[in-house]
Amino acid sequence: TGQYPNCSWLPSGDWTTQIGLSPTYLLGAKTGNKFAYTRWSTIAGGDILYSNGIQLNTGVTYFASVGYAVSPNSAAFDELTMLVGPNQSTVSAVSIASVAAITNSVYATLSNTFTVPSSGLYYLGFKVVSPTSSPDHIGIDDISVIVAPTCTLAPVAGVISGTTSTNIGSTNAY
C-alpha cells in the first residue's frame, strides 16, 4: 500500500495525517514518513478516518492490517476498530477487526480476513473510541489490503500401501 494514509483521506473528529520525520505527540511513523493520528474521541461513538476508494471483488478473500500505537504514558483507549464499507460512512460498514484497552506505545498490528458482498469501490474506516479526554493520542500506519494467501496441498503422485519385508536367510524379498 505504500505511504498510507495520505492527505486525501476523509477524517471525522480529530484525525490528522502527518507527513514528515519528526514525531508528533511522541508518535512517529512505523515505517516511511507518513502516518495518521487522533487524540481522544470528540465525537460520540468515536472518531473515524476513512480511506480512499479501493476496488474489491466478490468471491475473493482479502487480508487487511494496520499498525497502531498510543503516545507513551497514555491512558487506555477503549477501542480501535477497522471497518470496510461501500462509502466513507458507518452506514453499511462492517467490522473487520477490533482491539480493546489499547495502551501499547510500540506499534502492534490489528488484522483479519474479510470478503465483500459485491464487486466495487470500498472504503476502510479506522474508528477510535476513548472513555474521556485523558487517553492522549493514538497513531495508525502501514495499512494494507491484499488478497489473502491460501495454501493448497499438491496432489500425491502415488499411494504407498501394504508392507515390505525382507526374510533373512532367504533369497526372496517381499
Side-chain angles (χ1 to χ4, degrees), residues 13-170:
D14 297 305
W15 277 106
T16 303
T17 55
Q18 174 72 36
I19 301 172
L21 298 176
S22 61
T24 301
Y25 303 105
L26 301 177
L27 290 169
K30 182 178 178 188
T31 59
N33 64 353
K34 296 179 183 178
F35 71 105
Y37 67 91
T38 188
R39 60 184 182 150
W40 58 89
S41 305
T42 58
I43 296 176
D47 293 348
I48 304 175
L49 178 67
Y50 296 100
S51 74
N52 296 325
I54 304 166
Q55 177 65 41
L56 300 176
N57 297 307
T58 189
V60 176
T61 299
Y62 294 96
F63 178 80
S65 68
V66 62
Y68 65 95
V70 298
S71 299
N73 303 316
S74 216
F77 277 82
D78 283 352
E79 184 178 352
L80 169 64
T81 302
M82 184 168 34
L83 308 159
V84 66
N87 47 49
Q88 292 177 319
S89 162
T90 55
V91 176
S92 302
V94 295
S95 175
I96 298 172
S98 185
V99 62
I102 305 161
T103 59
N104 55 293
S105 60
V106 176
Y107 274 95
T109 301
L110 176 64
S111 62
N112 204 359
T113 58
F114 70 98
T115 59
V116 293
S118 60
S119 296
L121 282 180
Y122 285 85
Y123 301 85
L124 291 180
F126 302 92
K127 181 172 96 172
V128 175
V129 178
S130 62
T132 65
S133 62
S134 64
D136 206 7
H137 290 81
I138 184 169
I140 62 171
D141 196 11
D142 290 354
I143 299 161
S144 71
V145 176
I146 62 170
V147 174
T150 59
C151 296
T152 305
L153 296 176
V156 177
V159 177
I160 300 172
S161 63
T163 59
T164 302
S165 64
T166 302
N167 188 352
I168 306 281
S170 170

